[in-house]
Amino acid sequence: MPLQNDRLLRALARQPVDRTPVWLMRQAGRFLPEYRATRARAGSFMGLATNPELACEVTLQPVQRFALDAAIVFSDILTIPDAMGLGLSFETGEGPRFARPVRSNADIAKLAVPDMDTELRYVMDAVRLIRRELGGKVPLIGFSGSPFTLACYMVEGSGSDNFARVKMLALDDPAALHRLLDVVSEAVIAYLAAQRAAGAQALMVFDTWGGTLAPHLYREFSLRYLTRIAQTLARGEGSERTPLILFGKGNAPYLEDLAASGAEGIGVDWTVSLAEARVRCAGKVAIQGNLDPSTLYASPDAIRREVRRTLDSYGPGPGHVFNLGHGLAPDMDPEHVRVLVDAVHEFSAQ
Ligand code: CP3
């Protein structure tokens, strides 16, 4: 099935495009009434994520409604720890929770890389089905959490204001945290490779919490494992290569290191200008980002102005994938999202 819209893949390969490609983190989510309807039918978030037909349906919803240049498989980063036996659930209004968090060396020793053909088969089935149903309309992105971000949830057992337990472990028993990150990294690499084999055409790693670490700890516990993934994940050669994007909240201090990691693209938040990010990445990678999601609460005029400013900040030439600097929120107006997507295409065509 030939790809009808290859803007994303061309931009990630730093080749010229007719318009800047745009997709949005959390584009399949609660801000869409059609998502909320499917989610209600599924009964729970995991009921939705583990059902390939329903996961496919919600993946396609934003691509049908808006002129987006990519789809992202509907799943979650916490599928890996769930498959490792931690017992994931989502309490309404509370976010994710693990029944059996990782709290001791014995807990770490018990962890093993899950089997992609059995324990995580539902994700691969969803990828295969989505690829078929997309029919080449836009490329499909597969994803994983970063090892450090997954470790944050695994050790804490839930979300947290400060992830104190994992930071305590980094200082009091660094060898134990490295053992944990080691097995999680191997799982991430196997997971991304399996999504690629199932049909994912680009891959992304979400490092949501690495940026909360002090620089020496970021390098030791987050960057090191991101680099390992970028270096060892087999993803083809030349025009067959499946690009890898490393996104990190608060990763601006480390752009030179990330650009040298071996990844094809770096995703940045809005605390750095694209002009600066581009200079510091020195043409080694494509750059994805970086509009502040809160911009979507403002008026359509303001949204259009900010889109133009973001495009101008990157400047002319290839290698930009437009995105937000973090995910869409449930209370955002779908019509404002449309204004954003259309403005990216309108202004970047000029
Ligand atoms: O981007 C997409 O459209 C693809 C789907 C996707 C989801 N989660 C669906 C989801 C992706 C890429 C993720 C990644 C994810 N999940 C991250 C990294 C990205 C980021 O935001 O920094 C993290 C940290 C998680 C963990 C997670 N999953 C949390 C904290 C929550 C609860 C959040 C909340 O708002 O309730 C989830 C649940 C979740 N994952 C939802 C969605 C659409 C909402 C749950 C629901 O529908 O009930």
Side-chain angles (χ1 to χ4, degrees):
M1 188 85 63
L3 200 47
Q4 292 144 40
N5 173 346
D6 64 353
R7 281 179 193 134
L8 174 82
L9 300 183
R10 291 185 62 86
L12 288 171
R14 284 170 284 125
Q15 292 163 358
V17 282
D18 63 336
R19 285 169 172 77
T20 300
V22 53
W23 71 276
L24 304 171
M25 291 188 267
R26 288 280 172 100
Q27 66 189 25
R30 285 169 294 182
F31 81 105
L32 287 178
E34 57 270 35
Y35 171 86
R36 295 195 297 268
T38 312
R39 166 82 163 71
R41 268 201 284 143
S44 68
F45 175 77
M46 281 310 275
L48 178 52
T50 58
N51 180 320
E53 281 75 29
L54 296 182
C56 176
E57 187 176 306
V58 296
T59 300
L60 299 184
Q61 286 168 352
V63 177
Q64 286 155 347
R65 191 194 260 254
F66 309 113
L68 293 161
D69 296 299
I72 179 162
V73 57
F74 188 81
S75 188
D76 198 79
I77 64 166
L78 301 177
T79 52
I80 287 180
D82 183 50
M84 287 176 151
L86 273 63
L88 175 63
S89 62
F90 286 88
E91 313 302 338
T92 353
E94 271 188 64
R97 195 160 292 280
F98 287 119
R100 292 170 290 280
V102 171
R103 290 286 163 78
S104 67
N105 278 309
D107 290 341
I108 294 172
K110 272 188 293 198
L111 298 172
V113 175
D115 187 74
M116 301 300 149
D117 295 327
T118 54
E119 285 140 312
L120 287 163
R121 177 172 196 113
Y122 66 90
V123 178
M124 310 313 151
D125 286 342
V127 171
R128 281 185 281 267
L129 183 60
I130 297 162
R131 261 306 290 279
R132 197 164 76 227
E133 294 297 313
L134 272 172
K137 187 176 196 239
V138 291
L140 178 62
I141 302 167
F143 71 90
S144 169
S146 75
F148 180 75
T149 293
L150 293 178
C152 284
Y153 289 97
M154 293 171 77
V155 172
E156 203 68 37
S158 66
S160 164
D161 291 339
N162 55 7
F163 290 103
R165 282 192 175 89
V166 76
K167 290 187 173 184
M168 199 162 56
L169 192 61
L171 297 173
D172 286 338
D173 195 352
L177 183 54
H178 280 303
R179 284 197 300 280
L180 172 58
L181 291 167
D182 211 67
V183 63
V184 173
S185 295
E186 293 313 309
V188 167
I189 290 166
Y191 189 55
L192 292 172
Q195 291 182 60
R196 175 173 180 266
Q201 290 148 297
L203 298 167
M204 174 146 157
V205 173
F206 289 86
D207 188 23
T208 308
W209 301 117
T212 67
L213 290 165
H216 64 296
L217 298 175
Y218 175 83
R219 288 177 202 284
E220 182 176 350
F221 295 104
S222 186
L223 177 65
R224 183 194 290 192
Y225 294 95
L226 294 172
T227 305
R228 187 201 287 184
I229 293 164
Q231 297 280 327
T232 59
L233 176 66
R235 52 194 189 280
E237 295 304 326
S239 62
E240 296 298 296
R241 192 160 176 88
T242 307
L244 174 70
I245 306 164
L246 301 179
F247 165 76
K249 270 281 285 154
N251 64 4
Y254 315 106
L255 290 178
E256 290 83 358
D257 309 89
L258 290 163
S261 66
E264 283 70 24
I266 302 302
V268 296
D269 71 19
W270 59 94
T271 61
V272 62
S273 75
L274 290 182
E276 180 186 334
R278 193 174 180 181
V279 167
R280 289 180 41 211
C281 289
K284 292 182 188 147
V285 288
I287 297 172
Q288 176 172 282
N290 72 342
L291 191 67
D292 180 348
S294 295
T295 306
L296 285 161
Y297 295 122
S299 62
D301 277 352
I303 294 168
R304 285 169 57 83
R305 216 161 54 228
E306 285 297 298
V307 166
R308 192 190 279 277
R309 189 198 50 74
T310 305
L311 290 166
D312 288 348
S313 177
Y314 187 84
H320 181 209
V321 175
F322 200 103
N323 206 315
L324 302 172
H326 204 189
L328 286 160
D331 62 350
M332 287 172 174
D333 181 345
E335 284 315 305
H336 285 203
V337 172
R338 182 187 311 282
V339 167
L340 183 161
V341 171
D342 290 347
V344 173
H345 288 153
E346 179 188 333
F347 296 144
S348 64
Q350 291 162 7

